[in-house]
Amino acid sequence: MFTVLEEALVEVRWRVDRDNCEGSIRKPLKYDAQELESATKGSAFDGRKDATPQDHIWTKKQQPSRPSCYSTFKRRNHGRNKQGRGHVKPVRCSNCSRCVPKDKAIKRYTVRPMVELAAVRDITEALVYKEYTLPKFYIKIHYCISCAVHAHIVRVRSREGRRSRAPPPRFRFKDGKKVAPQQAAKPL
């Protein structure tokens, strides 16, 4: 049988195991020989060959850096922008019509003229009103992840690159050339 010291030691180990990973199934872990020897020294186990303390003592040899009940994850937000909501309505991918949660979909807002560039000059010459602006399409496009990666709308980043939460640099066009936003804002 256990002495008071051994029972307290077993209880402490059970408590540590329960606190490290709540809700996980506890199973016998490998015991450390020195720890077992020090726990059973001068107790009822001395001199008895039939009593085996291995069945009663549960210890951890090495403590993991994080409790084992958590699974590893690739991204801090798990690739979504849900933040505590249980369910998010799906949207359809503009390319392949796949159902994607709205917070996970890659969203792009595009503004395009209704008229082709080749026909703009002919239309502006034929206009009665000189200050008439041609109408434009304002479209919000949703992409699933696979279509966005395939179309190079988003790119696969390295493990260190994924940690960066800064938005990517935005480029503007000025006189048909790609210009960084700081240069586009400067007056000439």
Side-chain angles (χ1 to χ4, degrees), residues 68-86:
S68 59
C69 56
Y70 295 117
S71 60
T72 57
F73 54 88
K74 203 170 184 180
R75 289 169 186 84
R76 196 172 97 171
N77 62 357
H78 303 285
R80 301 186 65 158
N81 193 21
K82 198 161 59 119
Q83 308 300 338
R85 286 185 274 289

Side-chain angles (χ1 to χ4, degrees), residues 2 4-16 53 56-58:
F2 284 127
V4 176
L5 174 69
E6 290 163 3
E7 286 179 6
L9 185 65
V10 170
E11 178 60 35
V12 166
R13 287 186 183 139
W14 275 102
R15 196 176 298 129
V16 167
H56 303 289
I57 295 185
W58 308 54

Side-chain angles (χ1 to χ4, degrees), residues 79-182:
R80 301 186 65 158
N81 193 21
K82 198 161 59 119
Q83 308 300 338
R85 286 185 274 289
H87 184 262
V88 177
K89 295 274 186 186
V91 293
R92 291 289 187 159
C93 173
S94 302
N95 191 31
C96 68
S97 300
R98 181 179 182 171
C99 242
V100 192
K102 189 179 178 183
D103 62 311
K104 189 176 189 175
I106 309 297
K107 295 168 272 296
R108 293 291 179 265
Y109 192 73
T110 58
V111 180
R112 267 188 239 150
M114 280 189 185
V115 185
E116 295 176 348
L117 292 173
V120 170
R121 187 175 170 196
D122 298 334
I123 292 172
T124 50
E125 287 175 1
L127 284 173
V128 176
Y129 303 106
K130 296 296 177 191
E131 295 189 11
Y132 180 76
T133 54
L134 294 171
K136 295 180 179 180
F137 283 122
Y138 297 92
I139 309 166
K140 188 169 188 182
I141 302 175
H142 298 277
Y143 291 100
C144 66
I145 302 297
S146 50
C147 287
V149 169
H150 182 71
H152 302 292
I153 293 159
V154 291
R155 296 183 187 275
V156 178
R157 295 190 288 176
S158 66
R159 185 175 289 181
E160 289 77 29
R162 270 184 237 134
R163 290 182 187 155
S164 167
R165 295 172 66 80
R170 296 178 67 184
F171 293 102
R172 308 272 177 167
F173 288 94
K174 195 171 192 179
D175 300 328
K177 294 179 182 177
K178 207 182 236 186
V179 181
Q182 291 84 14

